[in-house]
Amino acid sequence: GCFLVLRRQLLLLIFLCAICSLISGCLQQERLIIESPGQTDRSIPLGQSRIFSLRYTHSVEKTPVVETFRVREDGILLLVSTAYKSYGVGLPSLPSEGKLTIRDGWFVLENLQREYRDIRLRVGPEAAVLLEQEQQSYPLHEWYPAGSLVIIRQLLSKKRI
């Protein structure tokens, strides 16, 4: 009597846990991993667009820069455009680097195809690096101590959908 009821409930619980695990695995989003030596790793959802931007203040010009990346299926981070408010030292401008236009007061260099396995940068209050992805902003300069090396890459996982 009582033993059979408990056994059925336990089997039902195990079955429900297996179903939940399967569903969460199927719905698991691809993620960007943000690492810094000696710090806790963080991850953010990659999103349907597979596009993210790094927004920061240029160290020489002291003006905003936005670099936009598309994450390929193989995990390569592809720099597709750079936008900046001032034209100066260290900012790309050669015709061989892409198509340069001026739009709403920004210099926009598009059609870039620079490939990276990961992005390595140093954070600090001067640059105020933000990672932006699908209407969300992640303040890397607040997450890690000034001068920290930060590495951004895609968490590669087998697609299950």
Side-chain angles (χ1 to χ4, degrees):
C2 187
F3 177 73
L4 287 176
V5 170
L6 286 174
R7 184 174 174 203
R8 276 189 231 150
Q9 287 177 343
L10 182 60
L11 288 173
L12 180 60
L13 181 63
I14 291 170
F15 176 74
L16 290 174
C17 286
I19 293 295
C20 288
S21 177
L22 180 64
I23 289 171
S24 72
C26 289
L27 298 178
Q28 186 178 25
Q29 291 181 319
E30 291 181 274
R31 304 186 73 78
L32 288 175
I33 299 298
I34 304 164
E35 306 168 306
S36 183
Q39 304 289 323
T40 302
D41 293 351
R42 296 179 183 247
S43 74
I44 60 169
L46 182 54
Q48 294 277 333
S49 69
R50 303 183 66 82
I51 292 175
F52 71 94
S53 296
L54 291 175
R55 179 181 297 269
Y56 58 91
T57 302
H58 191 272
S59 61
V60 175
E61 296 297 314
K62 307 293 186 213
T63 55
V65 176
V66 179
E67 295 183 329
T68 302
F69 297 84
R70 182 174 54 83
V71 182
R72 293 192 329 209
E73 293 290 329
D74 63 359
I76 295 294
L77 309 177
L78 192 66
L79 176 62
V80 294
S81 71
T82 300
Y84 40 95
K85 279 292 215 180
S86 66
Y87 191 77
V89 176
L91 295 167
S93 61
L94 297 175
S96 63
E97 294 183 281
K99 179 184 174 195
L100 181 63
T101 58
I102 299 174
R103 192 177 318 136
D104 297 326
W106 287 78
F107 295 91
V108 181
L109 188 60
E110 298 175 294
N111 301 325
L112 299 173
Q113 297 296 309
R114 294 187 196 156
E115 298 179 354
Y116 300 91
R117 287 196 185 287
D118 56 39
I119 299 166
R120 295 169 181 257
L121 54 93
R122 299 265 177 196
V123 295
E126 306 82 21
V129 179
L130 294 174
L131 189 151
E132 299 176 327
Q133 201 278 325
E134 291 192 356
Q135 310 298 321
Q136 294 287 323
S137 287
Y138 303 93
L140 304 185
H141 64 287
E142 292 177 7
W143 288 358
Y144 301 103
S148 294
L149 172 65
V150 173
I151 303 165
I152 302 167
R153 63 180 176 82
Q154 181 188 6
L155 174 63
L156 290 173
S157 61
K158 294 178 182 167
K159 287 205 168 190
R160 300 165 109 177
I161 298 177

